[in-house]
Amino acid sequence: EEEVPKNPLAFVVLLAPPGVPGHAILRLQMRRLLEASTTPEDLREAILVAQGRLLAASSAKDEAAMREAARDLATAQASVAGAGVVTDEMILQSAEGMVEQMNSPWMQVFLEVDPAAILASIKAPVLVVIGSLDLQVDPGQNLPPIKAALRQAGVPSQVRVLEGRNHLLQPATKGSIDEYGVIEVTIDPTALGLIVEWVVRT
């Protein structure tokens, strides 16, 4: 019987990767996206407070607190959206959707798992590529633990921050989500080029 290799991975390429648990990413992500928007300061604060309560309630597995925080968050977000008439039923549906998403198995893993702990045990060369304008996975928050984890792993690694690129590695102005669909470039050819060059070399 043929022996299974201990490390079947020749290399790992991480695009806009998290380096901290999801609950920390979502808190900063919301703040940065709001700062890049035209949302009034009082509504920004209301959204951030409600989101914080929702994340805390999710971590504590407190369904009642989750539903209350989700309703407050949906209410604040509806005020920002300016979508005309917003009914109580619409708020409730939005809040229920949030609770369902927070309770999904994927989200529960995303919120609690520490990616840096996994990276610290990796046995293959790693390339990390992230945009300087990434508002969803903030480079300042995520790159330090990623770099520390890769040092601990002791594998060949390279971390590249692409200036002026967003979460999707598109050339961007602000990095906000509303830019994604209007930027004609799907992914910056520079990013593709450096990935190909690194993979071939590695």
Side-chain angles (χ1 to χ4, degrees):
E1 185 174 325
E2 188 175 333
E3 185 178 349
V4 177
K6 291 184 179 179
N7 180 24
L9 294 177
F11 58 85
V12 176
V13 176
L14 301 174
L15 305 181
V20 296
H23 61 80
I25 287 177
L26 292 181
R27 288 173 192 270
L28 184 57
Q29 178 186 111
M30 181 72 84
R31 180 174 295 280
R32 296 214 52 209
L33 289 171
L34 286 170
E35 287 171 351
S37 74
T38 57
T39 305
E41 186 64 37
D42 58 335
L43 283 178
R44 285 187 203 176
E45 194 56 34
I47 289 170
L48 291 170
V49 169
Q51 183 209 33
R53 287 169 44 220
L54 179 60
L55 290 169
S58 174
S59 181
K61 306 291 188 276
D62 186 337
E63 285 285 328
M66 282 179 66
R67 293 183 188 285
E68 182 181 343
R71 281 194 299 271
D72 290 346
L73 181 53
T75 300
Q77 288 178 327
S79 299
V80 172
V85 177
V86 178
T87 65
D88 290 343
E89 183 178 355
M90 292 166 64
I91 295 293
L92 184 59
Q93 286 179 345
S94 178
E96 286 297 321
M98 290 181 194
V99 172
E100 184 178 345
Q101 182 186 39
M102 295 297 288
N103 284 333
S104 71
W106 181 91
M107 181 62 78
Q108 287 296 306
V109 170
F110 172 69
L111 290 174
E112 301 302 332
V113 168
D114 183 2
I118 297 170
L119 281 176
S121 64
I122 205 161
K123 302 300 181 187
V126 178
L127 171 66
V128 176
V129 183
I130 193 168
S132 68
L133 294 179
D134 192 334
L135 301 187
Q136 290 189 253
V137 180
D138 183 81
Q141 179 188 48
N142 291 278
L143 287 184
I146 287 173
K147 290 177 180 178
L150 292 174
R151 282 195 299 271
Q152 185 176 341
V155 294
S157 63
Q158 185 175 355
V159 176
R160 293 292 301 273
V161 179
L162 301 186
E163 289 300 320
R165 303 306 184 262
N166 63 17
H167 183 61
L168 304 184
L169 301 179
Q170 299 169 305
T173 303
K174 298 184 298 181
S176 57
I177 290 175
D178 57 10
E179 288 184 321
Y180 293 175
V182 298
I183 298 172
E184 292 187 7
V185 177
T186 305
I187 181 171
D188 184 7
T190 303
L192 293 177
L194 76 88
I195 292 167
V196 169
E197 188 275 332
W198 182 88
V199 168
V200 169
R201 176 164 43 86
T202 300

